[in-house]
């Protein structure tokens, strides 16, 4: 049975730390001109049913950077678009490639692919989780703050896929997480409940963004309407307006926080131009770190 990367919950803190440390090492080695060939002769299939700039390019560049190869399939390229069952897709792909990286809608789609695949399945974003992204984000926290355990991280805005994965990371990596979300837009109740049972008061859901950033050492924001929620975007603009990360909200933060945004950013919505382009914002290093973390993930799961 291959090991899959479907959500962070399935891993110990030690395992997640090993991936992040490998990402940090690979970044240093890349800067020093050291190249790796771990995945020579290996191929991954990438099935992307939602758009992507960073995740697609960084996974492809990571695979080629390790001397491997990639077959990219957009949603409309495969027979899934004509209702071929996932279990058939999983078994056939397993005969061709050494791993499957998937970006799609329901988490049950990646779960089903993993159930029938004989090769590792890696979740490159679902409506429920974005585990690979959070590993790059934590790598960025370690670069900017030195470590992650006991750090105070704030999540401001929608309780979406990113928020769910941050919650699972908080349990496994022992940091404090305060989420400020408007009523009706909280993270998944089952994820929150399980996390609270494991981590207690280290993880808190509140309403007030100022309270959430007061002691934060890292502030995370993300779009107010995720992919697939475009029809709600207009309505969400009003609901989320008090949650914009701007100079005023940043001024309420007492611990010189680093600002993270997984991108793409909507300037003037979840984040002001000033904060996104300001010197507290590490979004560009965070985006780069996807390349190094994806190499680390591929080395762990595919090699
Ligand atoms: N952060 C992120 O996943 O970006 P893409 O949607 O461009 O892949
Ligand atoms: N929450 C966002 C993340 C994009 C990388 C979305 O799902 O669209």
């Amino acid at each position: 049975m291959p090991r899959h990367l479907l959500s962070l919950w399935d891993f110990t803190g030690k395992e997640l730390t090993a991936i992040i440390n490998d990402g940090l090492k690979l970044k240093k080695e890349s800067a020093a001109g050291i190249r790796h060939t771990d995945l020579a002769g290996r191929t991954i299939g990438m099935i992307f049913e939602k758009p992507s700039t960073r995740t697609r390019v960084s996974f492809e560049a990571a695979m080629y950077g390790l001397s491997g190869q990639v077959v990219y399939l957009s949603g409309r390229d495969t027979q899934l678009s004509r209702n071929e069952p996932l279990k058939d897709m999983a078994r056939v792909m397993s005969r061709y490639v050494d791993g499957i990286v998937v970006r799609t809608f329901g988490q049950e789609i990646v779960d089903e692919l993993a159930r029938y695949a004989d090769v590792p399945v890696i979740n490159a974003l679902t409506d429920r989780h974005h585990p690979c992204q959070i590993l790059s984000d934590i790598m960025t926290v370690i670069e900017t703050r030195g470590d992650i355990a006991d750090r105070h991280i704030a999540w401001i805005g929608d309780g979406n896929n990113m928020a769910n994965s941050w919650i699972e990371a908080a349990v496994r990596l022992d940091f404090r997480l305060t989420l400020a979300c408007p009523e009706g837009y909280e993270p998944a109740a089952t994820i929150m409940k399980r996390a609270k049972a494991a981590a207690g008061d280290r993880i808190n859901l509140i309403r007030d963004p100022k309270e959430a950033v007061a002691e934060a050492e890292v502030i995370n924001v993300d779009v107010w309407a995720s992919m697939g929620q475009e029809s709600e975007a207009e309505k969400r603009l009003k609901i989320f307006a008090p949650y914009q990360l701007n100079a005023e909200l940043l001024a309420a933060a007492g611990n010189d926080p680093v600002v993270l945004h997984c991108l793409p950013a909507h300037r003037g919505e979840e984040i002001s131009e000033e904060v996104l382009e300001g010197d507290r914002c590490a979004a560009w290093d965070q985006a780069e770190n996807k390349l190094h973390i994806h190499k680390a993930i591929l080395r762990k799961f595919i090699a």
Side-chain angles (χ1 to χ4, degrees):
M1 277 281 287
R3 189 97 191 265
H4 306 288
L5 173 44
L6 306 178
S7 79
L8 297 178
W9 189 258
D10 304 335
F11 296 86
T12 63
K14 205 171 159 195
E15 287 171 321
L16 298 179
T17 301
I19 297 172
I20 296 162
N21 285 341
D22 198 35
L24 288 160
K25 180 166 163 273
L26 283 159
K27 186 173 184 177
K28 285 204 184 84
E29 289 175 347
S30 173
I34 298 168
R35 300 285 176 261
H36 293 278
T37 56
D38 306 48
L39 296 181
R42 301 299 182 98
T43 304
I44 56 166
M46 292 182 40
I47 305 169
F48 274 46
E49 299 194 295
K50 287 178 178 174
S52 170
T53 300
R54 280 146 288 269
T55 308
R56 176 185 173 179
V57 177
S58 57
F59 257 117
E60 290 201 24
M63 193 62 190
Y64 289 121
L66 294 168
S67 303
Q69 302 173 82
V70 176
V71 178
Y72 176 83
L73 298 158
S74 78
R76 64 178 177 280
D77 291 331
T78 76
Q79 296 285 7
L80 288 177
S81 64
R82 297 176 60 248
N83 296 325
E84 183 171 21
L86 288 163
K87 62 183 180 182
D88 295 2
M89 178 79 176
R91 286 175 293 176
V92 171
M93 288 280 286
S94 299
R95 304 287 178 111
Y96 302 141
V97 297
D98 301 295
I100 305 172
V101 177
V102 192
R103 169 169 288 201
T104 187
F105 293 87
Q107 182 73 13
E108 67 282 358
I109 297 173
V110 292
D111 289 347
E112 177 91 346
L113 282 170
R115 193 168 305 124
Y116 289 96
D118 296 318
V119 297
V121 173
I122 294 169
N123 179 357
L125 182 148
T126 60
D127 295 342
R128 187 85 164 175
H129 290 293
H130 199 359
C132 301
Q133 178 69 50
I134 273 60
L135 294 176
S136 323
D137 301 352
I138 292 170
M139 176 174 162
T140 315
V141 174
I142 293 170
E143 280 182 335
T144 52
R145 289 298 195 174
D147 51 30
I148 183 72
D150 298 327
R151 293 284 171 197
H152 189 158
I153 315 285
W155 175 270
I156 308 296
D158 192 18
N160 61 16
N161 43 8
M162 288 282 300
N164 290 335
S165 289
W166 267 107
I167 291 167
E168 297 192 343
V171 175
R172 297 293 185 237
L173 293 169
D174 303 318
F175 56 86
R176 293 166 62 200
L177 179 65
T178 303
L179 304 108
C181 308
E183 198 177 344
Y185 295 89
E186 296 88 357
T190 49
I191 289 175
M192 195 64 191
K193 193 171 163 203
R194 190 171 63 175
K196 290 283 286 179
D201 282 348
R202 273 200 299 111
I203 303 176
N204 284 302
L205 174 62
I206 60 174
R207 297 278 173 236
D208 181 3
K210 281 203 168 122
E211 189 185 333
V213 302
E215 291 177 31
E217 297 166 283
V218 177
I219 304 176
N220 275 285
V221 291
D222 185 17
V223 292
W224 291 339
S226 287
M227 290 180 276
Q229 297 172 332
E230 288 77 8
S231 65
E232 295 177 35
E234 197 69 24
K235 176 179 149 205
R236 283 170 176 253
L237 282 180
K238 286 192 199 75
I239 294 166
F240 283 93
Y243 291 79
Q244 183 186 79
L245 182 57
N246 50 31
E248 190 196 332
L249 183 54
L250 206 51
N255 265 334
D256 288 337
V258 174
V259 170
L260 296 184
H261 193 314
C262 67
L263 305 174
H266 291 181
R267 289 165 168 83
E269 295 183 18
E270 75 277 0
I271 193 164
S272 67
E273 170 86 17
E274 188 185 8
V275 173
L276 186 68
E277 300 293 350
D279 56 10
R280 304 229 55 83
C281 182
W284 319 108
D285 290 331
Q286 185 186 357
E288 176 189 336
N289 289 342
K290 287 172 72 77
L291 172 66
H292 308 295
I293 278 292
H294 291 165
K295 278 188 185 167
I297 288 170
L298 291 167
R299 290 220 290 195
K300 175 175 170 65
F301 289 87
I302 313 296

